[in-house]
């Protein structure tokens, strides 16, 4: 199947620092990527939809200035958690849809586990 | 009402048992439906898409009931390795690629 790669897998940082997470589609072009956050024992919550060459679309309640999204190419989207705080500690997962596939399923990156001390 | 609802479980079943999960969705115009499997602290992985006519993949059978707005997943001859959380995913209406996730149903297959 299509491959989506996410980096880093784990990150631990001090409160107040910024953390950048990369999401790459390795064998297909993705004009749209999705960023999710998952807290323990909860479902994935869509944070924002990343659009290549244009601004991301954020879900209600997600701070645009806090979670900066850049989708500069057809294979790369980045999520930057700015001035991270302990409550931002979570599992962040990106996904993309391969438009070359009729089936329409999402392919997920491996996820990035963020711990803010 | 949540857009996609699942019984969180856990479902504890013995090896070899048959287990079924249901998932209901609220938007009658939803277009695509999927079951994903998520292991602890890992990303979700596609288990199977769900088609209107129903589809089967080995021990797994998925059904879609548009009239009642639910999808189901049946697992036959459960294996220990089937223990995971099963996520129901519904894709939004035409023009949007928004995918809505259920909370997941946790399955534990016991030896």
């Amino acid at each position: 199947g299509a491959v989506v790669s996410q980096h880093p897998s784990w990150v631990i940082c001090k409160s107040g620092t910024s953390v950048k997470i990369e999401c790459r589609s390795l064998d297909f072009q993705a004009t749209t990527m999705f960023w999710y956050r998952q807290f323990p024992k909860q479902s994935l919550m869509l944070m924002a939809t990343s659009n290549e060459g244009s601004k991301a679309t954020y879900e209600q309640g997600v701070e645009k200035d806090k979670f900066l999204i850049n989708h500069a190419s057809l294979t790369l989207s980045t999520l930057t958690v700015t001035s991270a705080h302990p409550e931002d500690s979570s599992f962040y997962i990106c996904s993309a849809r391969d438009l070359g596939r009729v089936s329409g399923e999402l392919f997920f990156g491996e996820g990035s586990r963020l711990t803010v001390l | 009402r949540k857009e996609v609802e699942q019984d969180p479980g856990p479902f504890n079943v013995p090896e070899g048992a048959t287990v079924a999960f249901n998932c209901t969705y609220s938007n009658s115009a939803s277009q695509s439906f999927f079951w994903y499997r998520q292991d602890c602290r890992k990303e979700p992985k596609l288990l199977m898409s769900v088609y209107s006519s129903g589809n089967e993949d080995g021990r797994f059978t998925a059904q879609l009931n548009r009239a009642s707005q639910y999808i189901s997943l049946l697992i036959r001859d459960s294996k220990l390795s089937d223990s995971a959380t099963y996520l129901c995913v519904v894709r939004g209406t035409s023009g949007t690629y928004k995918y809505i996730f259920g909370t997941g149903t946790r399955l534990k297959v016991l030896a």
Side-chain angles (χ1 to χ4, degrees), chain A residues 1 13 83 95 105:
Chain A
C13 69
S83 187
S95 70
E105 70 265 34

Side-chain angles (χ1 to χ4, degrees), chain B residues 83-99:
Chain B
S83 298
T85 297
Y86 291 83
L87 300 169
C88 168
V89 182
V90 176
R91 200 193 107 186
T93 54
S94 179
T96 174
Y97 291 132
K98 185 176 287 189
Y99 293 75

